[in-house]
């Protein structure tokens, strides 16, 4: 029985695998689908609906790349990865890119041999506490019990924060975010700490979200962004500039609604270069001239993606904050399209 | 004389026993309230049962079935019972039960896993019950080839070719063993089957007949597999393969052949010495690094192999327990009848050893089946993995118990049936006079 399985499925898988030695861009185009690693489920960032259709902020990046490279935003094979499998999946070539809110750190970039192509969400570790506790600032948390996920950078950040402020705390170690929510609601800890986006998403699911406050302090830097393997710079450029195209589109006021109209030609040469009516930026990437236009048409520009998936109109209700355009005082900044 | 003892001259009529010794009251008195200590225990137990049920039953039955999101569920519960706490929101199951069963399998192809499941039950019937017509065994024999074809699709000829390889190997053993001896026949048949699988079969069937008569199902990639279907698939394959492999390993461990024995012992001890989750990590991450970049060795296949190996090692030890329980006289009796090794194993040793091991074997089966949920840790969308995906939707974020209860219910059905069947089998095979 086992032998037949090996033979049978190898035959099928063999067809799908094909030859893979050329650049990732060629591989993706030859395969006709983009293998994009996402989270197994994270509110607002990646989630399958009842029909198995993925959506979310990270998923939007995958779809934009697929649209730019393949001309079809549906031609994405989403590979759910866990925190433990994500890096090997990318390193082994099982996925072409990883968009799974992964923090850009030195060791991941240098030691694990990955290429972070940019930042699509600037996150940071925050605190949440019940309103009745009467705490309005993390500086007042001396002696608090804190629910914390073990084995994460948040655990180390927490220790650093309390030590540098000469405060003491009692950690309540917890394995998963789901468990953390239950423990926090059951009163096992005074304070719950994790990434601020996760806190907001968690609070949105409570029966009475208004009974809980998020502290204003952010105690760590968590720049989250898509990444690719070292060694294929051309593919890295494609992903990097697709992300930049979404950011630039917002800065220049190109939206999914008006991109068709603008691609006929405008007075702004940068828009023209972005949308391929001037210059040959697409050809330099190994794509056609319309690549950025297609990427923008899928889910809109960066701002639209943000508002649709995690913005203030959604249940998660994240404010732009650090993730506003640099022109609005945020950190989202794309190098020029020139 | 008046000091004479009383002598009854007639028998008293039969009387009904006292009210407290028969019927409901009698049963209560003898079983629940036989003394003051038992009475206290009874009351404490009753209170405990009432306490649990009074919380669980309203949660299960006073629940919301029609809602589009968790917040809507809570609104409805608040409007109906004045409190959203303590009322289940089964709407999430109603919304997602198909997904929890089939994962991302294309919905227009659901008939394929369903058909595979029905055929599984049919082909298992002659194995499980002796009253079923024996002809169904033919279906059982080809089912291992039907299952992957139905699930993964693709050309039927690849599977026919794989099947014919086994037929060819069997035929070679059957007809050449008298000419070249048993060992030679086995070697010949393995070579013949491999040549067939690698060269002749693909050429003749996949390209030859396949070109004329392209009988193919739409291929479905492994990544679309998920939900309870995935758990069942991995469980069935692991259970189906681990029993024969386990028997071989158990025999290998008892064998006098040094190399065979060493390999069996080391295999069993190594596999039993590492947790299943590390084997799964090896399957999902390490194998990827060992193999040349770009080769895409199917992840579900890798997991199946690992779970099967894991289950086989445990199975081997369970069966070894059965073998150890057999009296030495059984082996000697088989030898004295002039049976060779395989004949004595098949006719005398194994039937008894397996019968003794039934509870252990079935426990291993149940354990393996439940262990399939571990694949969610390596990113496969089994029911537990899907529950996380479902919770990641803004509508259902924050819902836990309902999903876990549903998944537990699915697993309970399968595990409980296995357990009941094993009890039936034990009763049926009971031959001693205990």
């Amino acid at each position: 029985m086992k032998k037949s399985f090996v033979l049978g499925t190898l035959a099928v898988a063999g067809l799908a695998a094909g030859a893979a030695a050329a650049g990732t861009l060629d591989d993706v185009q030859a395969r006709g689908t983009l293998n994009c690693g996402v989270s197994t489920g994270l509110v607002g960032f990646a989630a399958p609906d009842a029909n198995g259709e993925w959506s979310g902020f990270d998923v939007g990046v995958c779809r934009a790349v697929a649209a730019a490279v393949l001309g079809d935003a549906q031609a994405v094979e989403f590979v759910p990865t866990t925190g433990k499998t994500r890096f090997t999946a990318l390193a082994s070539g099982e996925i072409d890119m990883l968009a799974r809110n992964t923090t850009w750190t030195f060791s991941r970039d240098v030691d694990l041999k990955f290429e972070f192509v940019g930042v699509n969400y600037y996150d940071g570790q925050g605190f949440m506490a019940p309103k009745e506790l009467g705490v309005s600032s993390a500086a007042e948390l001396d002696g608090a019990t804190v629910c914390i996920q073990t084995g994460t950078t948040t655990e180390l950040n927490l220790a650093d924060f309390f030590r540098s402020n000469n405060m003491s705390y009692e950690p309540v170690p917890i394995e998963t975010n789901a468990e953390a929510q239950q423990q926090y609601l059951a009163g096992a800890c005074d304070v719950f700490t994790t990434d601020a986006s996760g806190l907001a998403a968690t609070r949105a699911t409570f029966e009475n979200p208004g009974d809980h406050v998020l502290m204003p302090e952010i105690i760590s830097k968590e720049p989250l962004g898509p990444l690719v393997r070292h060694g294929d710079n051309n593919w890295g450029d494609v992903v990097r500039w697709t992300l930049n195209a979404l950011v630039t589109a917002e800065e220049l006021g190109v939206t999914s609604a008006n991109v068709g109209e603008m691609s006929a030609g405008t007075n702004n040469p940068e828009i023209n270069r972005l949308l391929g009516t001037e210059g040959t930026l697409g050809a330099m990437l190994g794509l056609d001239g319309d690549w950025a236009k297609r990427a923008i048409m899928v889910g809109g520009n960066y701002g639209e993606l943000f508002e649709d998936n995690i913005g203030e109109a959604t249940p998660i209700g994240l404010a732009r904050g650090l993730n506003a355009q640099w022109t609005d005082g945020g950190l989202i900044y794309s190098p020029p399209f020139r | 004389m008046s000091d004479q003892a009383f002598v009854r001259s007639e028998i008293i009529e039969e009387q009904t026993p006292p009210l407290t010794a028969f019927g409901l009251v009698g049963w209560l008195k003898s079983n629940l309230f036989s003394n003051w200590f038992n009475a206290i225990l009874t009351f404490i137990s009753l209170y405990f049962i009432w306490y649990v049920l009074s919380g669980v039953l309203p949660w299960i039955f006073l629940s919301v079935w029609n809602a589009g999101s968790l917040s809507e569920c809570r609104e409805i519960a608040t409007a109906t019972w004045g409190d959203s706490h303590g009322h289940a929101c089964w709407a999430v199951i109603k919304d997602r039960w198909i997904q929890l069963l089939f994962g991302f399998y294309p919905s227009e192809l659901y008939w394929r896993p369903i058909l595979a499941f029905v055929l599984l039950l049919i082909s298992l019937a002659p194995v499980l019950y002796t009253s079923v017509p024996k002809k169904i065994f033919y279906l059982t024999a080809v089912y291992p080839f039907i299952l992957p074809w139905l699930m993964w699709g693709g050309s039927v000829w690849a599977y026919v070719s794989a099947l014919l390889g086994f037929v060819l190997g069997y035929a070679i053993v059957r007809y050449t063993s008298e000419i070249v001896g048993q060992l030679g026949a086995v070697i010949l048949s393995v070579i013949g089957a491999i040549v067939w699988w690698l060269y002749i079969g693909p050429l003749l069937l996949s390209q030859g007949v396949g070109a004329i008569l392209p009988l193919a199902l739409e291929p479905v990639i492994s990544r679309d597999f998920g939900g309870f279907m995935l758990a069942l698939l991995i469980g069935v394959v692991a259970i189906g393969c681990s029993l024969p492999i386990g028997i071989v390993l158990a025999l290998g461990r008892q064998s006098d052949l040094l190399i065979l024995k060493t390999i069996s012992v080391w295999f069993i001890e190594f596999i039993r010495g590492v947790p299943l989750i590390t084997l799964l990590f090896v399957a999902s991450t390490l194998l990827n690094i060992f193999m040349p970049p770009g080769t895409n060795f199917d992840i579900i296949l890798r997991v199946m192999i690992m779970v099967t190996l894991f289950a086989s090692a445990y199975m081997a030890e369970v069966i070894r327990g059965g073998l150890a329980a057999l009296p030495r006289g059984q082996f000697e009796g088989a030898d004295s009848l002039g049976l060779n090794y395989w004949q004595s194993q098949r006719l005398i040793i194994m039937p008894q050893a397996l019968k003794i091991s039934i509870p252990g074997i079935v426990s291993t089966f149940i354990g393996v089946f439940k262990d399939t949920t571990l694949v969610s840790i390596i990113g496969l969308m089994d029911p537990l993995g899907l529950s996380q995906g479902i919770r990641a939707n803004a509508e259902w974020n924050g819902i836990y118990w309902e999903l876990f209860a549903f998944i537990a219910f699915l697993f309970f059905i399968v595990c409980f049936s296995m357990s009941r069947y094993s009890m039936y089998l034990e009763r049926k095979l009971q031959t001693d006079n205990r």
Side-chain angles (χ1 to χ4, degrees):
Chain A
M1 194 163 174
K2 208 174 83 210
K3 251 181 196 158
S4 73
F5 261 104
V6 175
L7 287 174
T9 40
L10 270 191
V12 178
L15 290 176
T24 312
L25 179 61
D26 294 333
D27 286 349
V28 171
Q29 284 174 333
R31 198 191 304 134
T33 55
L34 170 75
N35 290 335
C36 192
V38 292
S39 156
T40 50
L42 185 68
V43 187
F45 287 87
D49 72 1
N51 302 316
E53 201 57 25
W54 287 81
S55 63
F57 191 58
D58 282 338
V59 168
V61 176
C62 296
R63 291 205 190 279
V65 172
V69 173
L70 301 165
D72 180 4
Q74 297 302 314
V76 190
E77 204 56 65
F78 290 102
V79 181
T81 57
T82 66
K84 296 181 179 78
T85 63
R86 55 183 166 181
F87 295 129
T88 32
L90 182 60
S92 69
E94 193 181 342
I95 55 179
D96 303 313
M97 59 178 283
L98 180 67
R100 186 196 182 278
N101 54 346
T102 303
T103 306
W104 185 350
T105 65
F106 182 94
S107 58
R108 284 171 180 175
D109 198 336
V110 178
D111 193 30
L112 293 181
K113 306 224 178 323
F114 294 126
E115 194 79 34
F116 282 83
V117 299
V119 174
N120 69 339
Y121 190 85
Y122 287 95
D123 213 335
Q125 187 176 342
F127 294 96
M128 174 165 64
K131 205 171 233 169
E132 62 193 25
L133 207 63
V135 178
S136 58
S137 154
E140 302 165 24
L141 288 176
D142 195 11
T145 51
V146 184
C147 278
I148 175 97
Q149 258 177 281
T150 52
T152 58
T153 50
T154 51
E155 198 178 12
L156 307 172
N157 297 333
L158 180 75
D160 290 352
F161 173 76
F162 273 83
R163 202 178 59 194
S164 59
N165 286 291
N166 280 325
M167 300 193 298
S168 67
Y169 70 104
E170 196 182 325
V172 179
I174 271 157
E175 184 59 34
T176 64
N177 193 46
E179 195 191 342
Q181 293 185 24
Q182 297 288 315
Q183 294 283 6
Y184 170 72
L185 282 179
C189 47
D190 303 326
V191 191
F192 175 30
T193 178
T194 186
D195 286 353
S197 63
L199 283 182
T202 302
R203 187 174 69 156
T205 70
F206 289 170
E207 295 199 47
N208 303 305
D211 292 352
H212 304 269
V213 285
L214 301 182
M215 312 276 150
E217 286 87 355
I218 297 294
I219 64 166
S220 74
K221 291 187 289 187
E222 311 277 348
L224 312 176
L227 55 156
V228 297
R229 276 182 300 280
H230 256 185
D232 190 347
N233 293 359
N234 188 25
W235 174 246
D237 287 342
V238 169
V239 181
R240 173 180 301 115
W241 286 95
T242 307
L243 179 62
N244 283 341
L246 301 180
V247 172
T248 304
E250 188 191 15
E251 185 186 338
L252 299 177
V254 183
T255 65
S256 55
N258 66 15
V259 65
E261 186 186 323
M262 284 193 167
S263 64
T266 61
N267 295 329
N268 185 333
E270 183 151 21
I271 295 181
N272 293 348
R273 283 194 296 272
L274 175 68
L275 299 179
T277 46
E278 252 182 65
T280 55
L281 295 185
M284 292 178 202
L285 277 178
L287 302 171
D288 60 355
D290 280 344
W291 64 282
K293 177 189 164 193
R294 287 194 304 266
I296 296 163
M297 280 176 81
V298 179
N301 60 36
Y302 179 85
E304 287 175 271
L305 271 180
F306 194 102
E307 291 308 326
D308 290 347
N309 291 302
I310 51 180
E312 283 177 319
T314 67
I316 303 159
L318 293 173
R320 284 296 287 269
L322 281 181
N323 297 292
Q325 287 283 338
W326 63 285
T327 45
D328 300 333
L331 290 175
I332 295 294
Y333 183 103
S334 158
F337 273 69
R338 183 173 289 280
Chain B
M1 288 220 281
S2 61
D3 61 341
Q4 192 176 358
F6 170 77
V7 176
R8 183 180 292 286
S9 56
E10 80 280 359
I11 291 174
I12 306 177
E13 267 183 53
E14 267 184 35
Q15 293 184 352
T16 54
L19 200 59
T20 55
F22 76 106
L24 183 64
V25 179
W27 184 86
L28 281 177
K29 186 167 186 323
S30 62
N31 287 298
L32 298 180
F33 301 99
S34 55
N35 57 39
W36 62 268
F37 184 66
N38 280 357
I40 291 174
L41 282 185
T42 300
F43 280 118
I44 293 176
S45 309
L46 279 180
Y47 173 76
F48 181 72
I49 293 170
W50 175 83
Y51 179 76
V52 170
L53 289 187
S54 68
V56 171
L57 290 183
W59 182 78
I60 294 177
F61 292 105
L62 298 179
S63 52
V64 182
W65 279 93
N66 296 301
S69 69
L70 180 59
S71 48
E72 203 181 319
C73 257
R74 284 174 177 157
E75 277 167 29
I76 294 174
T78 314
T80 319
W81 299 286
D83 180 16
S84 69
H85 200 71
H87 301 285
C89 178
W90 298 117
V92 64
I93 306 297
K94 195 180 170 193
D95 189 33
R96 295 298 184 97
W97 67 276
I98 293 182
Q99 196 172 47
L100 281 168
L101 289 183
F102 292 100
F104 303 140
Y105 209 84
S107 55
E108 69 275 11
L109 302 178
Y110 281 162
W111 63 271
R112 276 162 47 179
I114 294 173
L115 179 64
F117 183 65
V118 172
L119 286 180
L120 171 73
L121 295 183
I122 297 176
S123 60
L124 272 182
V127 182
L128 300 182
Y129 299 101
T130 43
S131 56
V132 175
K134 288 292 165 221
K135 284 211 172 121
I136 299 180
F137 263 123
Y138 290 112
L139 176 67
T140 314
V142 294
Y143 185 75
F145 303 90
I146 298 178
L147 173 70
W149 183 51
L150 281 176
M151 298 302 292
W152 277 277
S155 167
V156 71
W157 298 113
Y159 300 100
V160 173
S161 163
L163 172 64
L164 287 182
F166 282 103
V167 174
L168 182 74
Y170 176 75
I172 292 178
V173 171
R174 182 81 187 263
Y175 295 109
T176 63
S177 56
E178 289 187 1
I179 309 165
V180 293
Q182 204 166 21
L183 187 67
V186 171
I187 295 174
L188 262 186
S189 86
V190 170
I191 294 175
I194 290 177
V195 169
W196 170 271
W197 281 324
L198 291 186
Y199 302 106
I200 307 174
L203 199 70
L204 201 69
L205 285 172
S206 302
Q207 288 168 28
V209 187
I212 304 164
L213 191 65
L215 205 56
L217 288 173
E218 193 182 322
V220 179
I221 57 166
S222 291
R223 250 172 232 131
D224 290 343
F225 284 47
F228 197 59
M229 181 188 85
L230 178 66
L232 266 182
L233 184 66
I234 298 176
V236 164
V237 171
I239 287 174
C241 299
S242 67
L243 186 60
I245 299 177
I247 293 176
V248 171
L249 283 172
L251 291 177
R253 192 167 188 167
Q254 304 230 312
S255 158
D256 299 329
L257 306 172
L258 180 71
I259 297 179
L260 192 65
K261 179 171 179 165
T262 317
I263 293 176
S264 303
V265 169
W266 275 97
F267 177 85
I268 293 169
E269 293 307 329
F270 174 74
I271 297 278
R272 287 204 314 161
V274 291
L276 177 57
I277 190 74
T278 53
L279 289 180
L280 291 177
F281 275 126
V282 167
S284 98
T285 59
L286 271 181
L287 280 183
N288 260 343
I289 294 172
F290 291 150
M291 287 190 297
T295 40
N296 210 345
F297 189 20
D298 194 285
I299 176 75
I300 293 186
L301 190 62
R302 278 183 267 161
V303 165
M304 278 176 177
I305 293 174
M306 284 302 179
V307 177
T308 303
L309 294 182
F310 186 77
S312 307
Y314 278 87
M315 193 58 68
E317 286 300 279
V318 169
I319 291 167
R320 193 169 68 95
L323 287 173
L326 278 192
R328 182 103 201 106
Q330 295 291 327
F331 296 88
E332 288 164 353
D335 288 344
S336 71
L337 285 174
L339 300 178
N340 69 23
Y341 180 75
W342 290 111
Q343 281 170 330
S344 65
Q345 290 298 341
R346 188 163 57 87
L347 298 171
I348 296 186
I349 309 299
M350 270 305 148
Q352 300 183 71
L354 289 181
K355 194 192 97 178
I356 297 172
S357 329
I358 287 172
I361 291 176
V362 175
S363 297
T364 312
F365 284 172
I366 291 175
V368 167
F369 183 60
K370 289 191 294 190
D371 281 350
T372 58
T373 50
L374 286 177
V375 300
S376 63
I377 297 180
I378 57 167
L380 287 185
M381 284 300 196
D382 87 312
L384 284 186
L386 270 174
S387 78
Q388 197 185 353
I390 291 170
R391 220 177 293 131
N393 285 274
E395 310 92 80
W396 300 118
N397 188 10
I399 202 154
Y400 300 95
W401 297 100
E402 290 83 350
L403 288 169
F404 288 140
F406 181 69
I407 295 165
F409 176 68
L410 290 177
F411 274 89
F412 180 78
I413 295 174
V414 175
C415 296
F416 188 66
S417 328
M418 279 200 264
S419 155
R420 297 309 292 188
Y421 173 77
S422 98
M423 289 168 74
Y424 154 83
L425 198 61
E426 274 175 64
R427 269 198 311 278
K428 197 179 81 167
L429 298 180
Q430 192 166 24
T431 48
D432 50 358
N433 307 313
R434 235 174 295 174

